[in-house]
Amino acid sequence: MKKRVLITGITGQDGAYLSRLLLDKGYEVHGIVRRVALEDPEHRLWRLRPILKKINLHSASLESYASIFDVVEKVKPQECYHLAAQSFVSYSFEDEFSTINTNINGTHYTLSALKNKAPKCKFYFAASSEMFGKVKKTPQTEDTSFYPRSPYGISKVAGYELTRNYREAYNLFACNGILFNHESPMRGYEFVTRKITNGAARIKAGLAKELRLGNLHAKRDWGFSGDYVEAMFLMLQQDKPDDYVIATGETHTIKEFLDLAFDHLGLDWHKYVKSDKSLFRPAEVNILCGDYSKAKKKLKWKPKVNFKNLVKMMVDEDLKLVSPHS
Ligand code: NAP
Ligand code: F7E
């Protein structure tokens, strides 16, 4: 009998990589999507296009306990990866209420439905390095205290605590993956890495003349999504549930990302990038750098794709997309 897995947020970047990984491992893959996605698969399911026939999609919303309960009752998953969230930090300042309501309630509903209908199911929560916010120390570990700087970060701290509480109070096999920024050619276009690689490729192809960005001084610990979903899987294969930092241990500025991306195309970014004050955030997370020693020791996990190769991979894929016949 195949193992049944339920993935919320299956249409997103990580959902796309994770569902491929679990299909390869022989899982029966079920995913929760919004009803509108089923009505507009061409646009909303683009990341899943090559595997659509191999997965089972169920419509539900993070805002509705009843809809999540129904899917959990129907699928009775043995593993659940809860990835669905309003994940764009910038937007969380524009719409605090929906980000906080959706992200916190969605996590709470999923945990509660599992407790009631699939209490043996192993649960993964997509926690985030944004919880460290105005960092208390560098590098950040599982023991570093949280200081979130955005409604998004606050919602993730609440999700982290709910997950820990369900583990301790109801004996649920529930893990928090504290993942640092991870990117790929399937990254959403609004995040800075994809905005840069797509923008650079469009400039190279003659389709754009400039790229408007916000704060170029922030530092991030950027890894590859394909590596990070392997860590999620490993967390749920352990004897005991626990929380893990997943990162590369290296930090780079946006300027360094720009250097590599534009250099790869033989361009000088200084000629094209314009600073746009409207893209600065009301409160910024200046530096993130993770210490993944615990994951290395216990999960035997380490990142495979380094910063330079990540940037190249993204630029190459974006160049193919904007100039498919060259
Ligand atoms: P993503 O590409 O933005 O995907 C988010 C997913 O959540 C999408 O499938 C989206 O569905 C779904 N979703 C959002 N609101 C929903 C709602 N109201 N009802 C049902 N589904 C909803 O994010 P990602 O990069 O794959 O990240 C996956 C998870 O990890 C997120 O929780 C994110 O916050 C967290 N995380 C990400 C990073 C990172 O660097 N990527 C780091 C740490 C933590 P639609 O397609 O319908 O919008
Ligand atoms: O910003 C700066 C911006 O939006 C990175 C999410 O996956 O990772 C992600 O959150 C940095 C920030 O990612 C632009 O101010 C400058 O300092 O790519 P981002 P994020 O906010 O770090 C964490 C771990 C998550 O959990 C989140 O879900 O880049 N920046 N100029 C810009 N950022 C954007 N988006 N656009 C700009 O034009």
Side-chain angles (χ1 to χ4, degrees):
M1 267 273 270
K2 283 184 166 187
K3 254 194 186 175
R4 283 181 313 282
V5 60
L6 179 63
I7 304 174
T8 75
I10 194 168
T11 59
Q13 170 190 250
D14 291 1
Y17 280 99
L18 182 64
S19 44
R20 283 163 175 77
L21 178 78
L22 296 176
L23 282 174
D24 287 348
K25 292 191 181 291
Y27 279 69
E28 181 180 305
V29 175
H30 295 259
I32 283 181
V33 295
R34 301 191 234 207
R35 193 182 52 80
V36 282
L38 296 177
E39 280 172 6
D40 184 13
E42 180 62 25
H43 294 107
R44 292 182 173 260
L45 301 178
W46 60 275
R47 294 184 177 100
L48 300 175
R49 210 171 288 141
I51 56 166
L52 266 181
K53 290 207 169 80
K54 299 182 188 162
I55 58 179
N56 309 276
L57 298 179
H58 307 265
S59 76
S61 161
L62 286 188
E63 287 86 23
S64 155
Y65 178 64
S67 72
I68 293 177
F69 186 91
D70 285 351
V71 176
V72 168
E73 186 171 41
K74 195 162 137 198
V75 175
K76 291 248 164 37
Q78 284 132 321
E79 290 178 20
C80 173
Y81 296 83
H82 175 46
L83 310 180
Q86 193 301 95
S87 73
F88 189 31
V89 174
S90 219
Y91 183 70
S92 79
F93 288 104
E94 285 167 44
D95 194 350
E96 302 168 29
F97 295 99
S98 82
T99 301
I100 287 198
N101 289 339
T102 301
N103 289 4
I104 300 180
N105 291 340
T107 305
H108 197 182
Y109 296 160
T110 308
L111 281 164
S112 174
L114 289 171
K115 173 171 84 94
N116 286 309
K117 287 292 160 194
K120 294 220 165 11
C121 177
K122 295 180 171 184
F123 176 80
Y124 171 88
F125 175 61
S128 165
S129 52
E130 280 293 301
M131 303 189 306
F132 297 119
K134 192 171 174 184
V135 295
K136 292 291 185 190
K137 69 168 194 172
T138 294
Q140 296 85 45
T141 71
E142 293 78 6
D143 297 324
T144 306
S145 50
F146 301 140
Y147 192 143
R149 296 267 280 171
S150 63
Y152 170 82
I154 292 166
S155 77
K156 288 291 178 181
V157 172
Y160 168 96
E161 295 295 0
L162 277 163
T163 301
R164 193 167 55 79
N165 189 244
Y166 266 69
R167 176 166 78 214
E168 292 171 5
Y170 308 116
N171 220 12
L172 221 71
F173 190 109
C175 301
N176 282 300
I178 308 175
L179 271 53
F180 282 60
N181 297 52
H182 46 282
E183 320 294 316
S184 73
M186 288 204 276
R187 184 58 143 154
Y189 286 91
E190 66 270 45
F191 298 96
V192 78
T193 53
R194 189 75 198 273
K195 197 171 164 185
I196 293 171
T197 60
N198 174 253
R202 286 173 57 78
I203 290 168
K204 180 74 182 176
L207 300 172
K209 290 197 164 50
E210 63 169 39
L211 175 62
R212 302 190 84 82
L213 295 175
N215 174 20
L216 303 185
H217 299 283
K219 290 177 142 188
R220 289 292 183 274
D221 178 332
W222 280 295
F224 172 52
S225 173
D227 289 346
Y228 285 35
V229 299
E230 285 181 13
M232 297 178 188
F233 168 75
L234 289 170
M235 284 179 215
L236 298 201
Q237 313 314 312
Q238 304 305 303
D239 292 337
K240 290 192 181 136
D242 208 341
D243 307 327
Y244 298 90
V245 160
I246 302 298
T248 70
E250 274 182 34
T251 189
H252 299 275
T253 58
I254 318 278
K255 286 189 179 183
E256 287 173 79
F257 196 104
L258 282 165
D259 280 338
L260 284 177
F262 279 74
D263 274 3
H264 189 54
L265 296 173
L267 299 171
D268 175 1
W269 66 264
H270 298 90
K271 291 187 188 155
Y272 305 100
V273 172
K274 304 272 179 300
S275 173
D276 185 338
K277 286 279 172 221
S278 72
L279 295 171
F280 280 61
R281 297 174 182 181
E284 178 64 283
V285 170
N286 293 318
I287 176 169
L288 289 171
C289 183
D291 175 350
Y292 68 93
S293 308
K294 180 174 170 181
K296 190 174 176 191
K297 187 163 170 225
K298 300 225 163 146
L299 306 178
K300 314 271 177 271
W301 178 89
K302 63 175 184 198
K304 293 183 196 125
V305 177
N306 66 22
F307 179 61
K308 208 170 164 186
N309 288 334
L310 174 66
V311 181
K312 268 203 221 155
M313 179 203 302
M314 291 178 70
V315 173
D316 286 340
E317 287 304 312
D318 271 326
L319 198 57
K320 277 190 222 157
L321 281 179
V322 299
S323 43
H325 304 299
S326 66

